[in-house]
Amino acid sequence: NAGVTQTPKFQVLKTGQSMTLQCAQDMNHNSMYWYRQDPGMGLRLIYYSASEGTTDKGEVPNGYNVSRLNKREFSLRLESAAPSQTSVYFCASTRGLAGVQETQYFGPGTRLLVL
Amino acid sequence: GQQLNQSPQSMFIQEGEDVSMNCTSSSIFNTWLWYKQEPGEGPVLLIALYKAGELTSNGRLTAQFGITRKDSFLNISASIPSDVGIYFCAGRGTYKYIFGTGTRLKVLA
């Protein structure tokens, strides 16, 4: 049981390049989330998926797209990377029914540097 | 964006001392979660709280869900050097989690 896994662990991009961050969970959780973490800002929600087949914008969705490929996998795509997207990206999944005994688990993160 | 007020922002303590930190919000939450994050790692869940007034322990850690549902507290007793890290609170609103900015804890041996 690996929990939440993310690939790659670290990536350097040039402005304008595209890339996809991968996330998978093996806990049979329904909900999955993408966050970014910047110094002094805490964790901010980019997109989330309440269940397979659905996705919704979070607090900072601009410049990103997501795909909930199946129940296990939730990917985050940067179509044209910008220096402002330099950050640490965390994927998370949630156990429990919405609002009832919910617990959120995080992956190890992807560190992205956009030059 | 909306964030929780977490305090203190950082603290240095002596090994063996007790530590207290808290989070407050203008919004009511149904769930409070407390996490610890170490450098280069993702947040690791410490304690989950689901009911106003609930007091839950995990080893030397104790957390409480405030009666007003707008705050939560985390206490660490008899701190040790490996308690070093950043502690985050998270409150669950209608459909998503809101995170505090973290308390950076440094333990002096």
Side-chain angles (χ1 to χ4, degrees):
Chain A
N1 189 338
V4 180
T5 57
Q6 292 182 237
T7 56
K9 290 188 177 179
F10 183 72
Q11 183 72 47
V12 179
L13 291 178
K14 293 182 180 177
T15 297
Q17 286 185 318
S18 62
M19 79 162 294
T20 300
L21 283 64
Q22 306 286 352
C23 173
Q25 52 91 10
D26 61 1
M27 297 176 283
N28 201 35
H29 290 171
N30 286 322
S31 300
M32 297 184 73
Y33 301 74
W34 275 105
Y35 294 92
R36 60 179 288 173
Q37 185 177 40
D38 301 293
M41 297 293 291
L43 285 152
R44 293 183 293 169
L45 182 64
I46 304 171
Y47 271 93
Y48 69 101
S49 170
S51 62
E52 186 179 355
T54 68
T55 61
D56 286 286
K57 294 178 181 179
E59 185 183 348
V60 288
N62 291 344
Y64 305 96
N65 285 303
V66 290
S67 295
R68 184 74 183 268
L69 303 169
N70 47 55
K71 192 171 186 179
R72 290 187 64 247
E73 298 172 290
F74 189 37
S75 63
L76 178 72
R77 182 159 178 84
L78 286 70
E79 290 292 350
S80 179
S84 61
Q85 293 178 304
T86 293
S87 188
V88 183
Y89 292 85
F90 289 102
C91 177
S93 69
T94 301
R95 181 198 75 188
L97 296 175
V100 180
Q101 300 274 317
E102 246 193 23
T103 310
Q104 190 165 86
Y105 298 91
F106 283 84
T110 294
R111 282 141 189 85
L112 177 65
L113 174 62
V114 183
L115 301 175
Chain B
Q2 185 182 5
Q3 287 193 325
L4 299 176
N5 296 315
Q6 187 170 349
S7 64
Q9 287 187 336
S10 64
M11 53 196 313
F12 285 85
I13 59 167
Q14 293 284 343
E15 183 177 357
E17 287 184 346
D18 297 343
V19 176
S20 292
M21 59 191 78
N22 68 83
C23 280
T24 59
S25 170
S26 57
S27 305
I28 291 174
F29 290 123
N30 299 318
T31 299
W32 284 95
L33 304 176
W34 282 93
Y35 292 88
K36 179 185 178 186
Q37 186 176 25
E38 299 187 28
E41 304 291 331
V44 174
L45 182 67
L46 299 174
I47 292 179
L49 302 161
Y50 301 112
K51 208 165 136 180
E54 181 181 355
L55 187 71
T56 298
S57 293
N58 177 7
R60 294 179 294 105
L61 279 62
T62 301
Q64 184 162 26
F65 193 142
I67 293 289
T68 64
R69 294 169 62 193
K70 293 183 178 182
D71 56 8
S72 181
F73 307 87
L74 176 70
N75 295 314
I76 305 173
S77 62
S79 59
I80 59 178
S82 62
D83 289 334
V84 164
I86 302 176
Y87 292 80
F88 289 99
C89 61
R92 191 191 192 285
T94 305
Y95 65 94
K96 63 178 183 178
Y97 289 90
I98 308 298
F99 286 82
T101 51
T103 294
R104 185 180 297 273
L105 180 63
K106 299 185 181 180
V107 180
L108 305 173

